[in-house]
Amino acid sequence: MTHFSFELTHRDAGSLARRGVFVTPHGPVQTPGFMPVGTQGTVKGVTIDQVAATGAHMILGNTYHLALRPGHETVRKLGGLHGMTRWEGPILTDSGGFQVFSLDAINHVDEEAATFRSHLDGSIVRLTPEHSIEIQESLGSDVAMVLDHVVALPAEKDIVQDAMERSIRWARRCLESATRDDQAKFAIVQGGLDVELRIQCARELAAMDFEGFAVGGLSVGEPPTEMYRITEATTPELPENKPRYLMGVGTPVDLIESVARGIDLFDCVMPTRNGRNGLAFTDSGSIKLRNAVHREDTSPLQESCPCIACRHSRGYLRHLFHAKEMLGPILLSIHNLTYYQQVMAETRAAIEQNRFNQYVAEKKQGWGIDA
Amino acid sequence: MTHFSFELTHRDAGSLARRGVFVTPHGPVQTPGFMPVGTQGTVKGVTIDQVAATGAHMILGNTYHLALRPGHETVRKLGGLHGMTRWEGPILTDSGGFQVFSLDAINHVDEEAATFRSHLDGSIVRLTPEHSIEIQESLGSDVAMVLDHVVALPAEKDIVQDAMERSIRWARRCLESATRDDQAKFAIVQGGLDVELRIQCARELAAMDFEGFAVGGLSVGEPPTEMYRITEATTPELPENKPRYLMGVGTPVDLIESVARGIDLFDCVMPTRNGRNGLAFTDSGSIKLRNAVHREDTSPLQESCPCIACRHSRGYLRHLFHAKEMLGPILLSIHNLTYYQQVMAETRAAIEQNRFNQYVAEKKQGWGIDA
């Protein structure tokens, strides 16, 4: 496999944090790295030039949404996700497993497929591991995720184990059905909050020929400490020389706590979703822009932030939200995405300088989070 | 008055079209020119860098909206409209007269003031000519419009005449109450669809010391031919050496037909409002992006258009509208604003080359409009 490589360039002396470069057909991804989410073929409210300007190396698209609308055949005819979006860097696509779980559609999982109702027109859709890969090959992403069976937590151990074991069988079917060697396949470790199941799943997947490994089924409502516990039990079981991706995570502190536990890649809707709702991330914690205290505040969201939102005053940004102007959500999405990329860039620098634990302590102090 | 100047650099040989430069404290405006509308302190859905990239020289803000929210005192404390928006070029502010008329609020006009209910909280607001200027001085625009009395058409001649005469008296009060010499005052010609009243109004206003003159109270539902008739009757009565601004106009053909009748400046919400609704302007007429015919169309909205929307396919843009993604309205707003600026740039070049009538004929042919 010459299209992909992952090189660990530095390990932090005081934690499991790793500094690396994941190379794809559309260029390198510096890790640890954060992927903005482009569910329906666009990072919500942000032009593709603006996404690049935030410092993002890789973005994410969703198989489930794009297969339903505009349809993966249409995406293919429009040049794939790269041709449609004009994003020139790497793209990762989720498999659809999480959306089937999270969209709360009437759904049913058997050994062959996940069956669910479309949230658009109520029609019945059957998604097999093979079909998920076929869709992702049409989308043309650099990284395809395997279809997994995600269960709601808490759940009985036998339910979690059954879904985990099915996820392993489905992962193998994904690997066997794939036809593009310019598309990496990442496996997904399941097993709920059960360390024993997580380790078993990680070991079985690690024995297969995947270019990367994800930790899935977390960030679904459990306390962060539980997520950290499962993450730090799982990463030691994964190959050292492959990237590790914690799916759907998270807050800024979740990111750096997970980097400290050996994670390389993240994605989350939080910067854009919170941005659309008027919440900005800063080194002093989050700011609710709608609050009256910002009414005549001439200071930017964050001093020294290079984003275009920070050329404006908090007072102006507050006005945009109160006046229901699109520019408010646009600017705060850009700021939050930029902030996440800045945290990742600082994280990479701190690892290279063997001061990652100190960096984590400093950030948490700024955010007002007890160590 | 050294802050402002207007130089006519060329007159078209075959029409009343003029090529000029209007100089303001925030730089020059090449005329004929089109001003994007930033009603509430933002061109809807477009960052200020993107507005500049469309080729716009001057933007517009609304006294009525900004006085109600966030309040002109707040705007002033946040650095005025320039400080809030970070727009570095000239800004023109409307006086509030048209909004009082168009928002259909319960309103009452007497000699002293226009009285109306706020569309935000129902409170009673009294707007005098002096207060309108005071607000605009707080907003810090380069050009303030006088408060005028706009009436719905059709109307009895005595009603139109009464409002026109009051508009002249209010224009004088605006001029007399103004305190900033770095803010130009533009008068507004009223008189409905009555040529005699329009000429009388234009002559009386032309005798006063305004830096520019607007034709107001048009584009309120009358046929375009009526608007053209009134425009061409009015412009000859206005000073040659001052810019002429046709308020709230219009479609691309309205712009060039009005340039042919001696107009220099325009503003209109049409490029952004239509863009948000999925309608794109092109040299072949307007395109409804939602239509099924665009589903798998890999061509851009317009070949050779330099805007960022035209880096994408029509198929992708259609998808964004069907998926209710903000990026659809954003990109089409940018395209339409760019298209309007391109028409104005072509207009200026055609005037300089004495081929403006030919240019108008070519554009109308492309748009499918009979000559």
Side-chain angles (χ1 to χ4, degrees):
Chain A
M1 193 66 82
T2 56
H3 288 289
F4 299 90
S5 68
F6 182 64
E7 186 189 1
L8 280 180
T9 57
H10 201 92
R11 288 160 204 270
D12 181 54
S15 74
L16 294 178
R18 300 133 52 98
R19 171 77 180 89
V21 185
F22 176 50
V23 176
T24 79
H26 285 89
V29 182
Q30 303 297 327
T31 68
F34 176 81
M35 297 179 281
V37 176
T39 305
Q40 302 192 104
T42 156
V43 178
K44 286 189 191 302
V46 185
T47 69
I48 207 66
D49 291 341
Q50 290 169 336
V51 173
T54 66
H57 302 144
M58 189 174 195
I59 64 173
L60 181 144
N62 280 105
T63 287
Y64 167 89
H65 290 90
L66 292 163
L68 294 187
R69 184 175 56 195
H72 57 288
E73 274 303 299
T74 298
V75 174
R76 190 180 58 75
K77 288 175 184 169
L78 293 173
L81 271 177
H82 284 97
M84 281 205 331
T85 61
R86 298 296 172 198
W87 174 253
E88 293 175 1
I91 298 177
L92 178 147
T93 41
D94 196 0
S95 63
F98 185 78
Q99 274 70 37
V100 173
F101 154 79
S102 68
L103 285 169
D104 215 20
I106 298 166
N107 70 71
H108 168 73
V109 175
D110 59 31
E111 188 57 24
E112 181 57 22
T115 306
F116 55 93
R117 281 192 193 280
S118 159
H119 74 288
L120 296 180
D121 62 6
S123 63
I124 300 291
V125 181
R126 268 177 72 80
L127 188 63
T128 64
E130 292 78 11
H131 190 43
S132 176
I133 292 297
E134 182 193 356
I135 294 170
Q136 293 181 78
E137 290 191 347
S138 290
L139 300 179
S141 53
D142 297 85
V143 177
M145 301 303 300
V146 300
L147 185 66
D148 54 345
H149 183 180
V150 185
V151 293
L153 300 179
E156 295 297 316
K157 179 160 180 171
D158 61 336
I159 291 176
V160 175
Q161 180 161 0
D162 175 66
M164 178 274 278
E165 290 174 349
R166 178 165 304 102
S167 294
I168 295 171
R169 292 189 296 272
W170 283 7
R172 184 173 290 112
R173 283 168 58 185
C174 285
L175 206 53
E176 288 170 355
S177 74
T179 67
R180 288 182 70 152
D181 68 358
D182 60 347
Q183 184 176 60
K185 268 65 67 181
F186 277 23
I188 306 176
V189 177
Q190 291 291 346
L193 300 179
D194 188 303
V195 165
E196 189 187 354
L197 294 180
R198 286 280 175 178
I199 290 174
Q200 181 193 337
C201 187
R203 287 180 181 169
E204 293 199 34
L205 292 171
M208 297 187 227
D209 190 22
F210 289 103
E211 287 88 355
F213 296 85
V215 181
L218 293 177
S219 197
V220 293
E222 78 283 3
T225 49
E226 287 292 273
M227 181 172 78
Y228 303 158
R229 179 177 65 84
I230 295 300
T231 299
E232 74 187 4
T234 305
T235 54
E237 307 300 328
L238 294 172
E240 277 283 314
N241 61 342
K242 299 286 176 70
R244 302 158 180 173
Y245 160 33
L246 182 56
M247 302 180 79
V249 173
T251 61
V253 69
D254 286 342
L255 265 58
I256 59 177
E257 290 285 9
S258 301
V259 166
R261 289 161 173 83
I263 295 293
D264 306 305
L265 282 172
F266 303 89
D267 79 286
C268 193
V269 297
M270 202 170 274
T272 42
R273 181 175 292 168
N274 284 3
R276 289 197 302 283
N277 290 329
L279 190 136
F281 293 102
T282 80
D283 279 343
S284 311
S286 57
I287 295 174
K288 290 179 182 163
L289 253 294
R290 290 177 193 274
N291 285 354
V293 67
H294 305 300
R295 185 179 171 86
E296 295 178 353
D297 190 341
T298 57
S299 61
L301 292 172
Q302 167 138 353
E303 297 291 347
S304 83
C305 176
C307 88
I308 59 171
C310 286
R311 293 169 52 199
H312 297 282
S313 62
R314 295 184 186 189
Y316 177 62
L317 297 173
R318 175 179 187 271
H319 162 64
L320 295 176
F321 276 93
H322 279 270
K324 298 181 179 61
E325 284 285 354
M326 289 169 69
L327 191 59
I330 290 168
L331 289 177
L332 251 62
S333 296
I334 289 171
H335 172 79
N336 286 346
L337 289 171
T338 303
Y339 187 74
Y340 269 57
Q341 295 299 339
Q342 296 268 309
V343 168
M344 288 290 97
E346 291 167 1
T347 288
R348 293 191 292 268
I351 294 170
E352 288 170 358
Q353 297 159 16
N354 288 317
R355 55 172 182 80
F356 185 64
N357 287 338
Q358 182 191 334
Y359 172 73
V360 172
E362 288 166 3
K363 292 313 263 194
K364 288 169 74 169
Q365 186 172 37
W367 293 329
I369 297 170
D370 291 336
Chain B
M1 191 66 79
T2 56
H3 289 288
F4 299 90
S5 68
F6 181 64
E7 186 190 359
L8 278 181
T9 57
H10 201 91
R11 288 161 203 269
D12 181 53
S15 73
L16 294 178
R18 300 134 49 98
R19 172 77 180 90
V21 185
F22 176 51
V23 176
T24 79
H26 285 89
V29 182
Q30 303 298 326
T31 67
F34 176 83
M35 297 180 281
V37 176
T39 305
Q40 301 192 105
T42 157
V43 178
K44 286 190 191 299
V46 185
T47 69
I48 207 66
D49 292 340
Q50 290 168 336
V51 173
T54 67
H57 302 143
M58 188 175 197
I59 64 173
L60 180 144
N62 278 107
T63 288
Y64 168 88
H65 289 92
L66 291 163
L68 294 187
R69 183 174 57 196
H72 58 286
E73 273 303 300
T74 298
V75 174
R76 190 181 59 74
K77 289 176 183 170
L78 293 173
L81 270 178
H82 284 96
M84 282 206 329
T85 61
R86 297 296 172 201
W87 174 254
E88 294 175 359
I91 298 177
L92 178 147
T93 41
D94 195 2
S95 63
F98 185 77
Q99 275 70 38
V100 173
F101 154 79
S102 67
L103 286 168
D104 214 22
I106 298 165
N107 69 71
H108 169 74
V109 175
D110 58 31
E111 189 56 26
E112 180 58 20
T115 306
F116 54 94
R117 282 194 192 278
S118 159
H119 75 288
L120 295 180
D121 63 6
S123 63
I124 300 291
V125 181
R126 268 178 71 81
L127 188 64
T128 64
E130 292 78 11
H131 190 42
S132 176
I133 291 296
E134 182 192 357
I135 294 169
Q136 294 181 78
E137 291 191 347
S138 289
L139 301 179
S141 52
D142 297 83
V143 177
M145 300 304 299
V146 300
L147 186 65
D148 53 346
H149 183 182
V150 184
V151 293
L153 300 178
E156 295 297 317
K157 179 160 182 170
D158 62 335
I159 291 176
V160 175
Q161 179 162 1
D162 176 67
M164 178 272 280
E165 290 173 350
R166 179 165 304 102
S167 294
I168 295 171
R169 292 189 296 272
W170 283 8
R172 185 174 288 110
R173 282 167 58 185
C174 285
L175 206 54
E176 288 169 354
S177 73
T179 67
R180 288 182 70 152
D181 67 0
D182 59 349
Q183 185 175 60
K185 268 66 66 182
F186 277 22
I188 305 175
V189 177
Q190 290 292 347
L193 300 179
D194 189 301
V195 165
E196 187 187 356
L197 294 180
R198 287 280 175 178
I199 290 173
Q200 180 192 339
C201 187
R203 287 179 182 171
E204 293 198 34
L205 292 172
M208 296 187 227
D209 189 23
F210 289 103
E211 286 88 355
F213 296 86
V215 181
L218 293 177
S219 197
V220 293
E222 78 283 2
T225 49
E226 287 292 272
M227 181 172 77
Y228 303 158
R229 179 177 66 85
I230 295 300
T231 300
E232 74 186 6
T234 305
T235 54
E237 306 300 327
L238 295 172
E240 276 284 313
N241 61 342
K242 300 285 176 73
R244 303 159 179 172
Y245 159 34
L246 182 56
M247 302 181 79
V249 174
T251 61
V253 69
D254 286 343
L255 265 58
I256 59 177
E257 289 285 8
S258 301
V259 166
R261 289 162 173 82
I263 295 293
D264 305 305
L265 282 172
F266 302 90
D267 79 286
C268 193
V269 297
M270 202 171 274
T272 42
R273 180 175 290 167
N274 285 2
R276 290 198 303 284
N277 290 329
L279 190 136
F281 293 101
T282 79
D283 279 344
S284 312
S286 56
I287 295 174
K288 290 179 181 163
L289 254 293
R290 290 178 193 273
N291 286 353
V293 68
H294 305 301
R295 185 179 170 85
E296 295 179 353
D297 190 341
T298 57
S299 60
L301 292 172
Q302 167 139 351
E303 297 289 348
S304 84
C305 176
C307 88
I308 59 171
C310 287
R311 293 171 51 199
H312 298 281
S313 61
R314 295 185 187 188
Y316 176 62
L317 297 173
R318 175 179 187 272
H319 162 65
L320 295 176
F321 276 92
H322 280 271
K324 299 183 177 62
E325 283 285 354
M326 287 168 71
L327 190 59
I330 291 169
L331 289 177
L332 250 63
S333 296
I334 290 171
H335 171 78
N336 286 345
L337 289 171
T338 303
Y339 186 75
Y340 269 58
Q341 295 300 338
Q342 297 268 312
V343 169
M344 288 290 97
E346 291 166 1
T347 289
R348 294 192 292 268
I351 295 170
E352 289 170 358
Q353 297 157 18
N354 288 318
R355 56 173 181 81
F356 185 64
N357 287 339
Q358 182 191 335
Y359 172 72
V360 172
E362 288 166 1
K363 292 312 260 194
K364 287 169 76 170
Q365 185 172 34
W367 293 329
I369 297 170
D370 291 334

